[in-house]
Each structure stands twice: as structure tokens, then as C-alpha cells.
């Protein structure tokens, strides 16, 4: 391709992990050093994925640097030596494979696709690295979260999948203030509404393992989604017929995220003290001024982090929690 040639084939995981290595930009001085520093958390995640699922269909891209390789009649032969080939793409997969093999030695026989270049310059390695990591864009997060609804449970992020289930309820339940307003992949383009990725990102901290809801014993999906719908119904009642207008800040990402953050940081504690997460109890903590609606124009032009904080602060202006604590628990 474009005057450069490479070989495509497959190698056992035990071989490719033994002969490959990462040459880090700014650390290693050798030719072909273009890699970033390894991320330990990503290695652990990949290791767990390999142990549970084990699909690695994308090729590991190598730059062979030693003299221990030869080609004859379209076939490659090499001796197994450490640090024979630099990793141009796939260093985290290789590190994850090594860690997985340590736990399950049988994985060294797993066949992995590889693309092998021989003695590329640093410039050529940089060209390939950049083409992979800049031109090949990741898929939209909303599509990822939507696919969690059909993918194998070993592949998915369980907290994100639960958040997606709640977003689905917000979009489909008859009593939801966001009925048909959560934008799933394929939804018609329109002004306002909440992208699925926004909803999942906001809801995930509430429902993850040892998250805010689990800490309060609220772990069932039905209870979690009812609690969240209760909160948005309180806001919807304040807005009345103006709820669905495009001027309503809660019809946009900043309003949705700000409301969920407020629920997480303030409202859950107040409800916990009352042992009640009902719509009526939540409503009792607020003194809304009917003429004072939180409008999108108030946060228009503000940054992605600044706007939700502004929404939270505005909600605090209506928040009057009770000091009385109750013993009974209800949702």
C-alpha cells in the first residue's frame, strides 16, 4: 500500500506476546518509538474481557526490528526472541493478553491476527500510528449504549446497561416526563430532547456498584427508575404546560445532567432522612416560585461542565429540606 508492504497472518498469543514490545515516544531513543505510556486500568479491563470473551479480530500491527526474520515464497520465518518487533498498534491488547495468559496459560494458544512491517523508520511508524488513531473514529457513545441492550453480558458495562434501562423507561413509560424525548440512535433530528449518551452518563454514577442508590438499599430496577421518574415529575409539575417548550432548560443535556447531579448530591440525602423517595415527599422539599422557571437561555453558551452546575445552583434556590427524620421507608 503506497509503496510500503506488510505481511498479514496469525500468530499464537504466546508467541506474539513474547516477541513484541512497546517503544515509547520521549522515553526510548530507538528508531520507530511512537507509543504512549501504558494505562494500567485499560490493561486490566482488556485482561478481564479476554478471560470472559476472548474476541480479538483486529490485527496487532508490528514493526520488526531484528535480523531474525526472513521471507521465502511468500512465507515468513523467524526465531523466537524477545523484543523482535515494536508494537505500532495494539500495545494495550498485548499487555492484556500477557496478563490473561498469566491467569489462564491455555490462552497462549489463542490465535491472533497480525500485520507485520519490517524495519520501518520512525516517520513511517508515526504515519501508520496517526492514521489508525486519528482517522478511524470511534462510534458514537449513544450507539454503544444502545447496543448494550442486545450484547452478551460479558461484554457490556453493567452500570451503563442499567443506566440505559432507566433511560429506556424514561423514554417509554406513560407517566415519564421524558416520554419520547430520549434520543436513541435512529431518532428523528429535532431541537431539544436528551441524547441517550447524555442520559447514561448522568445516570451511571447513581446505579453503579456501591453507587448512591445501592448505598441506600435501592437496587431493583423498578425502584430505581420509579425514583428518578418521581423527581422529574416534581419538576414537570412546576413547569405545567411549559414543560415541553424548547425554552425549558430540562429539555436539554445541561438541564437533565444538572437535575440528576442535584438528585445525587442533595435530594437523595433529604429523602433518606425522611425514609421516603415518593413524588410527594420530594415535592415537599421545594418552594417553587411559579413565575421563576429555569430557562435554557440562562445557560446558553456556557461550557459543558459549567451549565449543569448553573442548573444545580438554580435548583438550590428552591430547595428547603426538612430537619425531621422518619423511620419508615417508601418509594
Amino acid at each position: 500500500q503506497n509503496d510500503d508492504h506488510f505481511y498479514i497472518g496469525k500468530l499464537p498469543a504466546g508467541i506474539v506476546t513474547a516477541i513484541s514490545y512497546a517503544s515509547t515516544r520521549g522515553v526510548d531513543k530507538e528508531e520507530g518509538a511512537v507509543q504512549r505510556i501504558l494505562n494500567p486500568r485499560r490493561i486490566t479491563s482488556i485482561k478481564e474481557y479476554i478471560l470472559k470473551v476472548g474476541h480479538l479480530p483486529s490485527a496487532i500491527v508490528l514493526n520488526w526490528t531484528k535480523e531474525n526474520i526472513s521471507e521465502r515464497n511468500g512465507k515468513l520465518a523467524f526465531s523466537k526472541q524477545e523484543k523482535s518487533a515494536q508494537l505500532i498498534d495494539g500495545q494495550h491488547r498485548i499487555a492484556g493478553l500477557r496478563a490473561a495468559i498469566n491467569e489462564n496459560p491455555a490462552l497462549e494458544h489463542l490465535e491472533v491476527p497480525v500485520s507485520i512491517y519490517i524495519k520501518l523508520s520512525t516517520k513511517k511508524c508515526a504515519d501508520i500510528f496517526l492514521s489508525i488513531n486519528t482517522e478511524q473514529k470511534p462510534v458514537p457513545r449513544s450507539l454503544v449504549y444502545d447496543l448494550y441492550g442486545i450484547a452478551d453480558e460479558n461484554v457490556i458495562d453493567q452500570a451503563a446497561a442499567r443506566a440505559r434501562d432507566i433511560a429506556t423507561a424514561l423514554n417509554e413509560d406513560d407517566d415519564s416526563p421524558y416520554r419520547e424525548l430520549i434520543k436513541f440512535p435512529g431518532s428523528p433530528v429535532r431541537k431539544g430532547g436528551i441524547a441517550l449518551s447524555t442520559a447514561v452518563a448522568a445516570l451511571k454514577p447513581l446505579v453503579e456498584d456501591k453507587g448512591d442508590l445501592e448505598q441506600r438499599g435501592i437496587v431493583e430496577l423498578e425502584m430505581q427508575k420509579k425514583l428518578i421518574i418521581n423527581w422529574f415529575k416534581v419538576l414537570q409539575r412546576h413547569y405545567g404546560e411549559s414543560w415541553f417548550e424548547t425554552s425549558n432548560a430540562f429539555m436539554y443535556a445541561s438541564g437533565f445532567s444538572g437535575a440528576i447531579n442535584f438528585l445525587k448530591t442533595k435530594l437523595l440525602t433529604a429523602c433518606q432522612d425522611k425514609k421516603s423517595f415518593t413524588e410527594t415527599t420530594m415535592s415537599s422539599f421545594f418552594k417553587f416560585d411559579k413565575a421563576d422557571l429555569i430557562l435554557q437561555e440562562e445557560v446558553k453558551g456556557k461550557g459543558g461542565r459549567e451549565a449543569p452546575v448553573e442548573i444545580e445552583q438554580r435548583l438550590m434556590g428552591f430547595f428547603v429540606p426538612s430537619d425531621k427524620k422518619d423511620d419508615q421507608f417508601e418509594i
Side-chain angles (χ1 to χ4, degrees), residues 178 180-183 190-196 198 246 248 250-254 256:
Y178 284 101
E180 298 183 355
L181 290 173
I182 306 297
K183 296 190 284 191
R190 64 176 181 272
K191 186 176 182 180
I194 312 302
L196 177 61
T198 297
T246 56
N248 176 9
F250 297 105
M251 288 292 106
Y252 300 88
S254 57
F256 186 94

Side-chain angles (χ1 to χ4, degrees), residues 3 16 19 24 46 58 68 91 111 162 259 264 306 328:
D3 298 326
V16 72
I19 57 93
T24 306
I46 292 174
S58 298
N68 60 331
Q91 68 162 342
E111 292 184 326
R162 172 57 65 90
K264 180 177 183 292
E306 184 182 1
Q328 300 300 315

Side-chain angles (χ1 to χ4, degrees), residues 27-42:
V27 177
D28 300 305
K29 304 303 181 184
E30 66 178 317
E31 193 75 10
V34 297
Q35 279 297 341
R36 54 200 150 176
I37 295 174
L38 286 165
N39 182 334
R41 290 182 62 185
R42 191 173 174 200

Side-chain angles (χ1 to χ4, degrees), residues 145-160:
Y145 295 141
D146 189 37
L147 291 175
Y148 280 169
I150 58 174
D152 188 285
E153 64 178 15
N154 289 326
V155 179
I156 67 177
D157 177 335
Q158 295 293 339

